[in-house]
Amino acid sequence: QYHKALELLPCVQSAEDSSQALEELVQLLIAHQTYGNKNFDEAVDQDMRTLVWKYRHYPVFIVCDYDANTARQSFSEMVTRYLVREYTSLGSVCYASLLLRFNEEYVPGDPDESMVKVAEVLPRVYPLVLGELEPRPPAAKTQGKAGNQLGALRFASGHVLQMMDANMGAFFGEACKVPFVLRHFQPPGTDR
């Protein structure tokens, strides 16, 4: 709902490219722990792609964990193509945090996996949840939800962040308050 509220701002309405202006103001980062993981149901990945498709005109992103050992083959190939195209000398990556977004070249009828594309890759030395590699003691294990939100935080480009859990609710009226409250923190004479 924040996207719809921010579209009401004059700097978005008067911009040449309102989508780009909106993306500079807000991002919705959906941190998803199991996207692309072959050990989990593909239907969950499809649900995430459906969400991205539905809101393709807004800056909606999926942040997910990449583990080369558990990634679906199509997902691993998509990551590899991105790495080869963007970082020719990077080599192979075993663990990474990924930022996925809607693929503007997607046409209904194309394979569902091509609905999203890799926007950025942050390679890591260790898995997202420490303790998954043996022989770490159980006390050294990290919490998955906290690690997942930290993974999303690394891709956040704004100055104001709000972390929400998937079962937290909000309505449009609350979303409309945010830009007006944030104006109190702007330098005088600015429009953002």
Side-chain angles (χ1 to χ4, degrees):
Q1 301 289 353
Y2 289 133
H3 300 88
K4 293 178 182 177
L6 290 171
E7 283 179 330
L8 302 173
L9 293 174
C11 65
V12 175
Q13 290 183 347
S14 63
E16 275 186 41
D17 183 357
S18 60
S19 296
Q20 182 62 33
L22 185 61
E23 191 168 325
E24 290 175 8
L25 294 175
V26 66
Q27 299 169 297
L28 175 58
L29 301 174
I30 303 169
H32 197 284
Q33 288 175 278
T34 63
Y35 187 90
N37 188 321
K38 64 185 174 189
N39 296 328
F40 293 89
D41 190 2
E42 166 64 25
V44 176
D45 289 5
Q46 179 56 44
D47 290 343
M48 294 306 299
R49 290 190 293 269
T50 300
L51 185 69
V52 170
W53 169 259
K54 181 176 180 178
Y55 296 103
R56 62 190 176 276
H57 302 294
Y58 294 104
V60 175
F61 301 87
I62 300 172
V63 176
C64 60
D65 179 43
Y66 175 75
D67 181 337
N69 300 313
T70 60
R72 284 188 178 78
Q73 183 177 349
S74 61
F75 190 55
S76 188
E77 290 168 357
M78 179 174 62
V79 171
T80 301
R81 281 193 306 273
Y82 176 85
L83 291 173
V84 167
R85 185 177 66 246
E86 298 293 325
Y87 308 102
T88 53
S89 63
L90 188 62
S92 64
V93 171
C94 188
Y95 305 109
S97 292
L98 303 179
L99 181 67
L100 307 176
R101 69 175 309 148
F102 175 69
N103 180 4
E104 303 85 9
E105 297 175 8
Y106 174 78
V107 177
D110 288 351
D112 284 346
E113 294 85 9
S114 66
M115 193 179 298
V116 294
K117 67 179 182 179
V118 177
E120 192 59 63
V121 175
L122 291 175
R124 296 190 317 264
V125 173
Y126 297 108
L128 182 67
V129 179
L130 297 178
E132 290 182 348
L133 294 177
E134 295 299 329
R136 286 188 197 272
K141 192 167 183 169
T142 59
Q143 185 187 30
K145 185 176 287 198
N148 202 34
Q149 290 186 348
L150 179 60
L153 184 63
R154 291 182 177 124
F155 291 109
S157 62
H159 297 286
V160 179
L161 302 173
Q162 177 181 353
M163 299 296 254
M164 295 178 67
D165 200 357
N167 58 0
M168 292 175 65
F171 67 98
F172 185 70
E174 293 296 321
C176 288
K177 292 178 185 178
V178 173
F180 296 103
V181 170
L182 294 180
R183 283 186 178 171
H184 293 287
F185 300 100
Q186 294 176 332
T190 62
D191 189 25
R192 290 174 69 187

